[in-house]
Structure formats: structure tokens, C-alpha cells
Amino acid sequence: MTLHQNLIAGEWVGADGVENINPSNTNEVVGVYARASADDAKNAIAAAKAAFPAWSRSGILERHAILKKTSDEILARKEELGNLLAREEGKTLPEAIGETIRAAQIFDFFAGEVLRLSGEVLPSVRPNIGVEITREPIGVVGIITPWNFPIAIPAWKIAPALAYGNTIVFKPAELVPACSWAIADILHRAGLPKGVLNLVMGKGSVVGQAMLDSPDLAAITFTGSTGTGKRVAAASIEHNRKFQLEMGGKNPMVVLDDADLTVAVEAAANSGFFSTGQRCTASSRLIVTEGIHDKFVAALTEKLKTLVVDDALKAGTHIGPVVDAGQLKQDTDYIAIGQSEGAKLAFGGETISRDNPGFFLQPTLFTEATNQMRISREEIFGPVVSVIRVKNYDEALSVANDTPFGLSAGIATTSLKHATHFKRNSEAGMVMVNLPTAGVDFHVPFGGRKASSFGPREQGKYASEFFTVVKTAYTLA
Ligand code: NDP
């Protein structure tokens, strides 16, 4: 099989390869991808540093053209790249194609943002002095991404970093190098000057750690677990470096007595179980008032019976496999923990066999859970959801906010009063009314509070807050 190499200083390099395995069929090798060393990471950082002066002063039309060309190619290849994504990560083909289209839209959005760069000119409070406020690129940005959105998350970090004139050292999760390699290849062929984007595929403990330890990264943007995020934060403070963290969630969806049952069940099924529950914005706590509780659980259980778990590429599959053996063990361990804590296993809980060997798990629903149980407090990151029964809206809001996390929160209700109150009082970065907690737009801010996020928001024009630094200049007339 062809070895897909790392991209350092505009050259494809690396000899040591790792097999990328399809979680729907562990007999299938999706491709072989180079494993970078700590020295490769150092070389990549040096290349990005050398490329920064020219790229940070490059013309906006050049940057616009490269980002636009990248968007166009991703869109033109959406079926092929979606297929690759489904095979390396396990989300269904329609979900994978949707994510690929999203990546193209993000590159397109930031191609536009390059042409909208602006500053401010103000009078000084002192006579005969002018004040200019401008945004400048930060320098070399380290990008570290997780496995669950193999093309969209790299896109939403790489596109703004380049648009605002930064150079990049990019380390994708070792489990999903294929889509990241494809993005680097497309950008390279779109004419990105050498050293502006460097791809170093490999282990977090080696390549990621070498990035954290480098004094030459001006900023790191990270998406992943809260544990790794804390290491990024500690190392960044040590090096006086700007950092941005997007981490876990334990997202609540409140279902009130007056909810439209169909809307509530569709939203809960979608955000709890689609993409195999492996979304940071997944609803893993369904907080249901007692008047609708039994009806809601019965309807959701009926819905779960109709969901097909199978090979991500098969037509008709609703839920693909879990990403790998380690994540599957985490999911089944938590299912055992839920039972030992006294929650009732209302649906699923078993691993399943399909035509090919893969990591298939039934969608799993716990009822009679409390908010103090570990299954309600800790991120499982699989198709495992607990239902918590509450008396009324006030208790529902209090339980929804009683979590270390604060990424996304939802409410299903027909009451304008409760919807409005929930939007104002939810302690989450994103709030959804009668919609799944997962599923966001690309042109508006994305991010959370508490242990879910740190630093400026990602996406949309708000991305400039992280990827630029503000300068205030005074001139005597
Ligand atoms: P991890 O934290 O395990 O990994 C994230 C990235 O960090 C990977 O590229 C990993 O490398 C790298 N890494 C690991 N150790 C180090 C280290 N010592 N130094 C530097 N980098 C390191 O998270 P997962 O990949 O398991 O992703 C799942 C998590 O991501 C979930 O908690 C989920 O909620 C969160 N997430 C958050 C989102 C958000 O926007 N809030 C969106 C998507 C996911 P490698 O794995 O290759 O070894």
C-alpha cells in the first residue's frame, strides 16, 4: 500500500507507516500513514517559523484564492472523501458526506473573510493624534484535533489560521489521519507556499507533546478530552502562549410535559445516538418531567428499535460502529457501571455481530438514573444515554446546569415562557429549543463554558479573536 507521508517544509517525508483500520470491518486497511517523531515535529515547527514572515504579509487575494480552491476541490470530491471518512471513523456515509460538505463550506466562508479584513481608525483623546486599531496574525499556530470529526474540525481550525495570516503545525488524532492528509494534499496543490501548513501525523504523547514543549508555537488550538486539554493549558502558560480549548460535554436535553412528543423524541434520538453518540454536543442526559416521562420513554424506546446499527457504508444504516476497541470498552464499562449504580437498562446494552468484524454496539438507554450517578456526570462518548425523571421545569433547569460541563443544552417545550427562561439561564455555550443539542451552523460562534471550553469562540467571524492579535497604533499628525 502507498505510504501517505507527513508534509514538512513543502516536502512529503517519512518512512515509518501505521495502518488506518476501518471500524466497520477490522479486516480492511483504509491506508498506511506515516508516524512522525518528536524530531519531525521540531522540523515542522522550524519550517512554519521560517514561512511566517512572508505568509503573514501575503496578499489577501492569494490567500482568498487558495482557500476558495480548497473548498471547491473538497466539494467536488465529497462522495470520495465522505467514503474515506466513513471508513476511517465509522460514521454513516450520509453523515460523512455531510461533514465533508461542511468542511468545504468552512473553507469557503474563510475565503470570504480574508476579503473582509478590517481595522478601526479613531480620533485620540489628545489633540493632533490619530489612533489605528488593527488585527495581526499571531505566528506559528499548533493545531491538535480529535478523531470524531476527522475533516470538519481540522477545517474549522486550519481555514481561519491561514485566512488571518498564520502558519501551521497540524497534528490530527492518530486514529483518523486520512482526511487530514487529504486536506494537506489539497492545500499543497492549491498553491500554499512551503512551510505554511505542516502536517505531522502521529501519537499525541510524542508529536503532540513535542508541540506543547516548543517555545516557538505562538498559539495552540486544541479539541479533545478535558484531560489532554488541561495539559495543553499548563504547557501553554509555561511558554506564555495563547491557547484555545474545546473539550468534553455531558449535554442535557430537558423534555417538559407540554413538549411536542414527536419533536422531543426525534431530537433526543438524533443528538443522543446519531454519529454513534460520539459528538461532543451529543445529548447524554435526558431530563424529563414526570407528566410526560413514561410516554416519552415508551416512544423513544420504540424509535430505538427502528434504528439499524451496521457497516457505515451500508445503505439504511442509522448508526455506524464505535471508533475502536478502546472506545468500545469505555462504553461497555460505563454500561456496567450504570447497572451497578442502580439505573434501569431500558434498551440495548449489548455489542452486536455483523457480516464483518467491527465495533458494533446497540443504542443504549438507561432510565431511573439520577444526576449524581457516574453515567450522568462523566462523558461516556458513545451511544449511551440516561433519562433522569424530575418534578417540574425548575428542577429540570437545576439538574441541567448541575454538571462540570457546559457545551450545549436543549429544551423540548411548546411554552414560550420556559423556552425563553431556559435560553437565558442555561449555563451552556449553545442552547437549542426543540432541536437536537448536536448540529450547528458554520458561520456563528461555537463553544462552551466550564470544563467544556476555554478561550475565544471558534467559527464564524468570532474566530478572528483567537487567530489574530490586536495592535493599537498612535500617530502624531
Ligand atoms: P484526546 O484528548 O485523547 O485527543 C485529542 C488530541 O490530543 C489527539 O490528537 C491526541 O493524539 C492528542 N494528544 C493526546 N495526548 C497528548 C499530549 N500529551 N500532548 C498533546 N496532544 C496530545 O481526545 P479524543 O481524540 O479521544 O477525542 C474525544 C474527546 O474530544 C471527547 O472528550 C470529546 O468530547 C472531545 N471533543 C470536543 C469537541 C468540542 O468542540 N468541544 C468536539 C469534538 C470532540 P492521539 O489521539 O493521536 O494520540
Side-chain angles (χ1 to χ4, degrees):
M1 261 184 169
T2 318
L3 173 69
H4 296 80
Q5 294 171 298
N6 289 306
L7 181 64
I8 300 176
E11 305 293 331
W12 294 105
V13 294
D16 182 18
V18 184
E19 290 183 343
N20 183 0
I21 303 295
N22 179 352
S24 296
N25 176 5
T26 53
N27 290 330
E28 192 205 348
V29 177
V30 178
V32 180
Y33 291 84
R35 177 177 269 173
S37 64
D39 280 343
D40 290 329
K42 285 181 193 154
N43 292 338
I45 294 166
K49 198 175 171 187
F52 178 71
W55 180 249
S56 62
R57 291 184 177 84
S58 59
I60 57 171
L61 209 49
E62 179 186 357
R63 282 186 247 165
H64 167 82
I66 291 170
L67 294 173
K68 183 78 181 81
K69 219 169 161 183
T70 301
S71 167
D72 291 347
E73 181 169 339
I74 293 172
L75 203 55
R77 293 171 56 194
K78 64 179 190 295
E79 308 279 345
E80 172 214 336
L81 292 172
N83 182 290
L84 187 66
L85 198 167
R87 285 189 296 133
E88 77 168 341
E89 197 267 353
K91 63 184 64 171
T92 66
L93 187 58
E95 288 172 333
I97 292 174
E99 186 183 329
T100 306
I101 294 169
R102 172 58 57 100
Q105 290 167 328
I106 291 167
F107 275 102
D108 186 55
F109 178 86
F110 284 103
E113 283 298 279
V114 178
L115 302 180
R116 287 189 284 269
L117 292 173
S118 62
E120 288 180 76
V121 178
L122 286 77
S124 167
V125 293
R126 292 168 285 163
N128 301 324
I129 292 177
V131 183
E132 290 161 35
I133 303 169
T134 50
R135 285 189 174 270
E136 297 185 349
I138 328 172
V140 181
V141 176
I143 295 180
I144 301 178
T145 55
W147 49 260
N148 64 336
F149 283 92
I151 197 161
I153 294 180
W156 86 47
K157 293 180 188 296
I158 291 171
L162 294 177
Y164 299 119
N166 302 287
T167 57
I168 296 172
V169 178
F170 168 38
K171 192 212 97 61
E174 208 191 9
L175 269 181
V176 293
C179 290
S180 295
W181 189 91
I183 292 188
D185 172 53
I186 293 169
L187 278 162
H188 180 60
R189 286 186 290 97
L192 203 61
K194 64 180 184 184
V196 174
L197 171 79
N198 301 275
L199 172 73
V200 276
M201 301 172 288
K203 280 187 178 304
S205 55
V206 178
V207 179
Q209 194 60 45
M211 290 166 69
L212 302 198
D213 294 341
S214 171
D216 289 327
L217 288 185
I220 292 190
T221 173
F222 167 85
T223 300
S225 61
T226 306
T228 313
K230 283 183 178 166
R231 298 172 80 114
V232 174
S236 298
I237 288 167
E238 177 72 24
H239 291 289
N240 294 317
R241 163 202 299 149
K242 196 171 181 181
F243 62 99
Q244 173 184 55
L245 312 174
E246 290 299 343
M247 302 173 286
K250 197 71 198 175
N251 308 293
M253 171 172 289
V254 168
V255 180
L256 296 185
D257 286 355
D258 63 18
D260 177 318
L261 191 62
T262 309
V263 167
V265 167
E266 287 303 316
N270 175 318
S271 54
F273 301 100
F274 288 3
S275 296
T276 323
Q278 298 174 153
R279 291 185 287 190
C280 48
T281 48
S283 301
S284 46
R285 294 183 300 142
L286 303 175
I287 301 161
V288 187
T289 48
E290 48 196 13
I292 197 171
H293 179 277
D294 294 356
K295 258 189 296 179
F296 173 77
V297 168
L300 181 57
T301 307
E302 283 309 307
K303 173 79 187 178
L304 296 186
K305 287 181 191 163
T306 69
L307 298 181
V308 177
V309 181
D310 208 330
D311 189 313
L313 293 184
K314 251 193 191 171
T317 296
H318 297 107
I319 301 177
V322 171
V323 73
D324 73 346
Q327 183 61 50
L328 183 62
K329 180 171 183 321
Q330 178 164 314
D331 297 348
T332 51
D333 283 354
Y334 271 109
I335 292 169
I337 289 168
Q339 288 172 292
S340 71
E341 287 179 309
K344 182 179 156 203
L345 188 60
F347 189 84
E350 301 287 334
T351 54
I352 342 175
S353 297
R354 288 292 178 252
D355 293 347
N356 293 313
F359 306 112
F360 301 105
L361 177 64
Q362 290 179 315
T364 299
L365 187 69
F366 279 109
T367 54
E368 311 307 334
T370 71
N371 200 42
Q372 301 317 315
M373 291 176 177
R374 284 183 62 195
I375 54 165
S376 304
R377 301 208 79 73
E378 298 169 16
E379 185 176 52
I380 301 172
F381 220 54
V384 184
V385 173
S386 18
V387 177
I388 301 166
R389 188 197 299 257
V390 289
K391 284 196 174 50
N392 52 32
Y393 169 75
D394 289 342
E395 188 185 353
L397 175 66
S398 149
V399 170
N401 284 338
D402 178 11
T403 168
F405 298 104
L407 188 57
S408 183
I411 187 166
T413 180
T414 51
S415 154
L416 180 61
K417 180 181 148 200
H418 286 136
T420 306
H421 191 270
F422 189 78
K423 279 192 275 184
R424 290 207 185 119
N425 293 284
S426 164
E427 294 169 5
M430 296 173 290
V431 183
M432 313 289 179
V433 178
N434 294 321
L435 288 166
T437 54
V440 296
D441 287 1
F442 60 87
H443 66 307
V444 292
F446 177 95
R449 299 183 186 177
K450 302 198 265 186
S452 290
S453 301
F454 183 89
R457 290 287 184 259
E458 300 202 86
Q459 304 210 54
K461 65 180 182 188
Y462 283 69
S464 69
E465 287 179 20
F466 180 73
F467 289 102
T468 63
V469 60
V470 170
K471 180 173 279 174
T472 314
Y474 297 82
T475 310
L476 180 63

